[in-house]
Each structure stands twice: as structure tokens, then as C-alpha cells.
Amino acid sequence: MPTPVLFDVDTGIDDALALLVATRSPELDLVGVGTIAGNVTASGAAFNTLRTLEAAGVTEVPVAVGVENFLLEPPHDASWIHGTDGIGDTDQPAPRGRPSGEHAVDQLLRLSHEHAGRLVVIATAPLTNLALAMRKDATLCDRLARIVIMGGSAQDGGNKAAWGEANIANDPEAAQVVFAADVPRTMIGLDVTMKVRFDQDDLEALTAASDPVANFAADLLPFYLGAYERVTGRRECAVHDALTVAAVIDPDAFTLRSLPTQVETRGDLTRGMTVVDLRARFANWPVGEQPRTDVALDVDVDRAHALLLERLGVRA
Ligand code: RIB
Ligand code: CA
């Protein structure tokens, strides 16, 4: 039976890729999408999500707008990497569908009841909706099978700040709530997602495929490739959020370790850092009792890359 999954997104080019991959993954049953501010506003992310799902022929999945403001941090501008509209300034037609009208926090709580014990939440955005849902209903975590997060970094620095990855550093207080919660959790951090990249050859393969999903992905990628090229000098873009979907459908492609993981909220230079206690890789190293997260330390790059391209409609 497919796993029921709820996405929490700030769609975003790589969020869109993650959603497209999910629509083409028979292992998953996409039961809802909640949106939050991040790459664009929460309502802009809903527009982009509906557009993305419609490109994949998916019209029945509810899309709920969530919070527009983080707990403390002001919004940050991500237009340089995702475009002003969040999906590469590709001038997409308006989606036919509309947001459901339910708040993303309420949708999460409702779906946690409807799929109690089985629901997997894939969070590819700041964790504010999730933290507020946990605060609103303290029993939520009892009903979730797992939260899979694109965010943080275990063994390297950040992108929003030297040690702050955007999804965590945009709302460190919310992330702290989620990383301290008593619920199975997987973290696919920036240090791992930066390893799996699409390049010009992948773009050409997506463009050439006779598949609307592949072609929609191809529409979004030139802006993203250009942004990466400007900052790294290489025409290759990391497909961060899509890796969370790969981690659900093919966890063996990742090296995962259960490690104490906390979010720094106070450091002048390290606010928003995920502090992963790597000493705990050694069985007898005394690290004390702290909440643990299944942290990705590595990924089989070729396997994940091939999986994502195949699900997006590129035949080998
Ligand atoms: O740091 C990468 C994350 O930030 C991704 O989720 C991307 O969409 C941006 O929100
Ligand atoms: Ca995102």
C-alpha cells in the first residue's frame, strides 16, 4: 500500500521538482500540500504548487496556505535563486485550481487523524507550520510515522549564512521545536543535497522527453542553473528538496545515522545552525540524552540522480 505523504513547501524550483517526483512515485500517496513563506510568500507558494501539480495532471490534491510570517525572523529574499515568482520567472499561466481554504496547520492536524500512524510529512521549507501544529495539538507526533526534512547541514556550512541553511535559519525557533519533538525524524541536509546536481545535459534530456512532467521541470531549470553558475562558476544546480522524496522511496541510497541533533538559536554567528553531535557515531562515546534525528551523512550520488531523472520522465 502506498505511503500517505503530506508536503510542507515554499515552492521554489527545487520544491517543484520534489512535487513532480512525488506525483510520479507509485510508492507514495500524495494526500495534501501545505505552504509557507520562504522562497516566496505562502500564497505565492500555493500558486506555484497548484501550477506544478496541474502540470503533472494532478488536480484532486488539496493545497492549503499556511503561515506568512516566521516566529521571529523577517522574510528573506530568495529571488536571486528562484526568480521573483519562485519558479524561475517562467511566466506560467495561472492554475485552474484554488487553495482549499483550510489553513495548512489545520490540514496537517486533520490528515494526521485520517492517516494516523502512517502519515509521512515531507518538509522542504521553514518548519513554522509544523511547529505551530505541534503547539496546537500536543498529540500530533503520536500520529505521525515520520517527518523528513530538507534542512540544516551535518558536516558543512550553510547557504543563508555561513552556518545557517535557509529552511532552518529562516525560523530557528520553529526548527528547534520540531527537532526536539518526540517523533521519528530524518534530516537531509545541505551538505548531502549539494552533492546531487542537474546539469546542462540533464536539462536537455528533460527538454527532449515526451512527457509534460519532464518538460515542466525543464522550463524551470534554466533560471536555477544560471543562478548556480553565477555563484559557483559551474552550470550545475543542486536539487535539494527532491532528495527528500528520494529518501522516502529509496532510503538505502543514503547513509543515515541516528545522532543527537539540536538547533542553535542564540549564537551571534551560528543562529540557525543544526548542531549534529557526530561523536555519537562511536557507540561508547558519552554524549548524554538528547533528541536524536536520523541524519543523512552521505548519498549514493549516481543512484539518487538516476532515480530522480527517471521519475521526472527521462528514460535511460
Ligand atoms: O537550502 C535549500 C532550501 O532552501 C530548499 O528547500 C530551497 O527550496 C530553499 O527553500
Ligand atoms: Ca524549499
Side-chain angles (χ1 to χ4, degrees), residues 10 12 14-15 39 82 124-125 150 159 165-167 190 240-241:
D10 59 344
D14 56 329
D15 303 78
N39 294 322
H82 292 279
T124 63
M150 189 282 128
N159 50 6
E165 182 282 326
N167 288 341
L190 191 72
H240 310 289
D241 293 342

Side-chain angles (χ1 to χ4, degrees), residues 26 42 123 139 143 269 271 280 286:
T139 68
R143 296 187 298 278
L269 301 176
R271 181 169 154 75

